[in-house]
Structure formats: C-alpha cells, structure tokens
Amino acid sequence: MSKQYLTTYTIDNAHDTDIFSLAVTSSQILSASGSSSIKVHSTTKADYPLGQIVTPAHKLGCHHVVTSKDGKKAASIGFGGEAIIWSAASDEQWTEEDGERGGLTAACGVDANRAGEMWAIALSADGRHLASTSSDGRLNVWDTSDARAKSHEYETKGSFGMCIDLSVDGLHTATGHENGGVYIFNNSSGRMLHSLPALIQPVRAVAFSPGGKLLAAAGDARVIALYDVGSGEQIGNLTGHGAWIVSLDWSDTGEFLLSGAFDGKAKVWSIDLRTCVATHTETDKTLWSVKWLPKTGRNESFAVGGANGSISIYREAAGG
C-alpha cells in the first residue's frame, strides 16, 4: 500500500529563522520560531494568507505553540522561560489572556528567569488544562482559568522532559525524556500509570492516538515505538527514518501517523499495516514540526515547518 501526497502550496520565508513549532485549528495554522512573533495563516483560502502577526509574543523567540482541539485557546513558551495563554475572538484574532507579558508564568508561581522551568507543553482538548515538562524531569498540569491553580504535579527520574502530550479525553498525560524514558500518568488518580520500555536515546516526540488507546514515541533512536496505553506493553515499532525523529502527529481517524525528522524527511505511516506509506523530502534541513490539517473533504492534508523558515502544505492526491 502506498499513498501519494502533492505539495499544494508553500509559504516561503514564513519566518526569518527556524520554525520550531506548528499548531492548527479548523481554519488556521499558527507558527512559532526563533523570532519574537507568532504568525497565523488562514487555511480557508488556496494561498494560505497571513491573517495575523502576534507581536511581540516572545522577545527571545518561541519553541512551542499549541492549540486546544476546539480552537479557542492557544499556549506558547518562549526561550526566555515565559508562558502565555492566548484566546481566539469571534473574528479569529488571537489576544493574550493575561494582562502583562508572561502573566501565566507569574500566576503559576514559576520562575520565569529560569529557562527550562517550563519546556514542552500540551493543552487539553477543551483548553482548560495546560501540561508542561521541566528541565529537571518534573511534570505539572495547570488550570488555565483565572485561578491558574496547579492540579497535578508528577516526578520522574530527573531527566530533561523533552516532549509531552495529553490524551483527547484528558485521562492521561505522557512525557518523553532525554535519558530515553517514556512515562504515562493517570490524571484521575494523580499517579504514574506506566514507566514504558525505554528507547535508550533521547525521546523528542510523544503523541496519543485520537482514541487514547495507543501512544507513539520517537527520538534519536530513529524508531517510532507504539505502546498500548492500558497495559503499557510495547506493541510495535515503525522503522525507516534515517535521522532523529523530532515530531509526531496522528490523523483524526487514528489510521495514520505523521512524522518529521532531522534530515528534512516527512513520513506517513499506516498503523494497521505498521509500515510507511509515503515519504517526502521537503528539504535537507530539519523539519521541527509536522501537523495534520483538519479534514475538510475526502482527501487529507498536512503542514510541515522547520529550519528553512517555510511552511509547506501537502494534500493527498485524488484516489490516493
């Protein structure tokens, strides 16, 4: 089985520096980079026009931006250590929820002067909770309402938390770490559910399937490990990347997994067949972020961004 995806549009020089993170809503792509602005492009028109430049978002640049599944909230983390929650108005323009820059960080009692106090982040589907890792292996879950209360705090083995994800149903949080550790936490009990078989090398991406039954994890080992969330058993490996894997994203149906790598290659994997069904070499530079776009017709599409500063959109060929 193979699938064909065609480049439908490239937003050249979307940023002047590396694009480190992409986030999507039903009608927008948000992109974050080493520059101070977050840019918002519309996905409702064929030329993906720039709809908003959120500036200044992070003075030293931004390494993570995420959106809630309902598209009403976003969160971003800057290289200066500040965290910001954003809200989308009815006109789809994004504004900061807090009154002053980095207000979320201050309200949560996080030391904004220590870059790495909050590193990787994930928002719950409804945007009510923000999960974050830290450079010393801690995991915190915050209430994003006015209270800004910490709802959960977890400890791991002290290794840098490089990536994080929340299941769509909000029941579980997963983290991947520099020492190769992968952990799943139960948000109802507030306890660690599984310490998963390690990938040995740094884990740079974790992602729950839409149904929350599977977890994908990948990184410097160049292998995507698939785990059963209920049992913690490793049920498969997806092999074929020749470089570090730095980004993962599931399709809405959970049938396919998208991955991006350090060598500029993006791959689409069939979960049923446990095999790669499409490979695209966007560039010879790192693809820091890959994201499926919400399906609007019969064919799927995805966006990729990375070290070349551009965003490319791929769409499944008719009959693919």
Side-chain angles (χ1 to χ4, degrees), residues 56-168:
H58 297 277
K59 184 177 181 181
L60 300 181
C62 176
H63 51 81
H64 284 87
V65 62
V66 294
T67 50
S68 59
K69 191 172 181 62
D70 61 13
K72 295 179 179 179
K73 281 193 177 184
S76 58
I77 298 283
F79 284 101
E82 70 282 358
I84 301 174
I85 296 289
W86 309 90
S87 289
S90 57
D91 62 357
E92 298 188 326
Q93 294 291 293
W94 293 89
T95 57
E96 185 179 351
E97 283 195 351
D98 295 287
E100 60 183 49
R101 189 66 49 197
L104 171 65
T105 316
C108 290
V110 177
D111 184 357
N113 294 315
R114 289 184 59 192
E117 275 291 282
M118 297 178 76
W119 184 254
I121 54 173
L123 268 176
S124 61
D126 59 8
R128 295 177 58 187
H129 294 93
L130 174 72
S132 67
T133 64
S134 71
S135 58
D136 60 3
R138 288 173 290 116
L139 161 63
N140 295 301
V141 182
W142 312 93
D143 182 343
T144 61
S145 69
D146 292 340
R148 297 287 194 260
K150 184 189 294 185
S151 58
H152 294 90
E153 181 174 357
Y154 304 107
E155 295 284 346
T156 63
K157 295 182 179 180
S159 176
F160 179 24
M162 303 184 75
C163 51
I164 191 168
D165 195 27
L166 281 165
S167 61
V168 174

